[in-house]
Amino acid sequence: MEIRVQDYREITDGPYDAIASVGMAEHVGADRYREYAGVLHDLLRPGGRLLNHQIGRRPAVDESAYAVDDFIDAYVFPDGELAPLGRTVALLEEAGLEVRDVEALREHYALTLRAWVRNLERGWADAVRLVSPGRARVWRLYMAASALGFESNDLGVNQVLAVRPTPHGASRLPLRPRTWG
């Protein structure tokens, strides 16, 4: 097995048995997401699996009214853009992937963010020394506010499992990936 951390636009080999995209798709942007999904499809062999782990937002009644938050764009994630889960799933499917499972981790991520804030506060002196007081405050504010966003269901984080079907339509995945209980 080989594991690489690499920009999807710079991959020149393949196909792959599996691809994990974790916390990356938020940085592609709505205008390039269709291209991104197509590249992922093309990089997978038939029967290959994709795990896309992505922060998302609730859909807006008027999607044209969605705007990237100026503070987050300037100080935290430049050019980041959150898409609703349905849009992500639709674009993966339009690229030819079959979505097999979606797991919502919203409440887990709220707990994770609160733990990160506690860890930052415990190591405050080290954080300030490594970055700056202003940068440390920005991240504390961002993580605390994001925890509230996940708790209130304004934000979500989802893992989408998709497969590139074989020419005859087989997914090569188990019929039931897990049991609910």
Side-chain angles (χ1 to χ4, degrees):
M1 176 189 332
E2 178 185 3
I3 298 173
R4 286 195 249 169
V5 178
Q6 188 173 4
D7 188 316
Y8 75 97
R9 296 167 295 187
E10 297 171 357
I11 299 173
T12 58
D13 59 350
Y16 295 98
D17 295 327
I19 296 173
S21 177
V22 179
M24 204 297 287
E26 300 91 322
H27 303 282
V28 171
D31 293 340
R32 299 196 69 176
Y33 205 95
R34 180 173 272 108
E35 170 194 340
Y36 168 71
V39 168
L40 293 174
H41 172 273
D42 294 346
L43 286 171
L44 288 168
R45 67 166 174 75
R49 299 167 313 275
L50 168 68
L51 178 70
N52 185 63
H53 177 101
Q54 179 177 339
I55 295 173
R57 63 177 171 82
R58 303 287 304 151
V61 174
D62 177 10
E63 279 296 316
S64 67
Y66 169 72
V68 174
D69 183 273
D70 290 336
F71 174 82
I72 293 172
D73 189 46
Y75 298 105
V76 183
F77 290 119
D79 301 323
E81 193 169 353
L82 303 181
L85 173 63
R87 178 89 175 125
T88 297
V89 167
L91 288 169
L92 291 172
E93 289 179 333
E94 288 171 19
L97 296 165
E98 179 187 2
V99 172
R100 297 298 303 247
D101 192 46
V102 175
E103 184 175 14
L105 301 171
R106 178 177 63 82
E107 294 91 348
H108 298 271
Y109 210 58
L111 294 170
T112 298
L113 283 159
R114 291 202 176 277
W116 286 346
V117 169
R118 283 192 305 275
N119 288 342
L120 176 60
E121 289 174 345
R122 276 196 294 270
W124 189 254
D126 289 335
V128 167
R129 188 180 76 257
L130 290 170
V131 290
S132 72
R135 176 61 61 190
R137 283 193 301 273
V138 163
W139 278 93
R140 180 174 55 190
L141 174 63
Y142 168 74
M143 290 189 299
S146 292
L148 293 173
F150 286 101
E151 289 166 353
S152 66
N153 195 23
D154 291 329
L155 297 172
V157 63
N158 302 288
Q159 291 188 154
V160 177
L161 175 64
V163 64
R164 179 177 176 171
T166 66
H168 302 290
S171 71
R172 298 186 180 151
L173 291 177
L175 294 178
R176 301 270 336 240
R178 65 182 122 142
T179 58
W180 298 93

